[in-house]
Amino acid sequence: MNMLTTALLQAATDNPAGDLKPGLEPSQVSPGLAGFLATFFLVVVVILLILDFNRRNRRLRYRAQYAEQRAAEDGLGGYAHTSDTASRVTTDADDAARSPKPRTAPSADRDETGGSSAHRD
């Protein structure tokens, strides 16, 4: 550790006036306008990505809250409706009862609107 401190101090004091090595000009050492523009572009892109991430995260959170509220209002269960959700187990029969019924083609004795085509007297 002591050698590292000595090496750093020596490197810092080798050039106390801030002069460049012989043969180098300040434009060769500086990143210049291109380096500044590249860094500025990266900073802007990162800021835009952070804002986009926050917007998407907020939207996802609001959708989850809305879905929870709807489930509680409709009485379908969910975290807001049941008090002990950990002990609730759904079976295949429960899932089948909740799933929508498949639509079938109208039978031959019904017209297009679903009413009976048989004439009553």
Side-chain angles (χ1 to χ4, degrees):
M1 180 77 176
N2 214 1
M3 286 179 52
L4 179 63
T5 307
T6 307
L8 288 175
L9 286 174
Q10 183 179 5
T13 57
D14 278 348
N15 195 358
D19 296 331
L20 296 173
K21 289 185 179 181
L24 288 177
E25 296 177 16
S27 63
Q28 293 174 327
V29 182
S30 170
L33 181 63
F36 171 76
L37 291 176
T39 305
F40 182 76
F41 176 74
L42 286 175
V43 167
V44 169
V45 167
V46 167
I47 288 173
L48 291 176
L49 283 172
I50 290 171
L51 292 175
D52 183 56
F53 172 76
N54 285 334
R55 188 183 79 233
R56 290 174 188 266
N57 197 11
R58 188 179 328 114
R59 188 182 304 159
L60 183 67
R61 188 174 54 239
Y62 289 155
R63 285 182 183 170
Q65 287 175 354
Y66 179 75
E68 246 182 60
Q69 289 173 353
R70 288 291 304 235
E73 290 171 1
D74 294 343
L76 295 177
Y79 295 115
H81 184 265
T82 59
S83 59
D84 62 350
T85 25
S87 65
R88 183 171 182 210
V89 177
T90 61
T91 62
D92 291 336
D94 292 338
D95 292 338
R98 283 193 209 117
S99 66
K101 303 293 183 229
R103 295 185 62 158
T104 58
S107 62
D109 62 337
R110 295 191 177 258
D111 62 4
E112 294 173 0
T113 60
S116 176
S117 63
H119 297 288
R120 291 190 181 164
D121 291 347

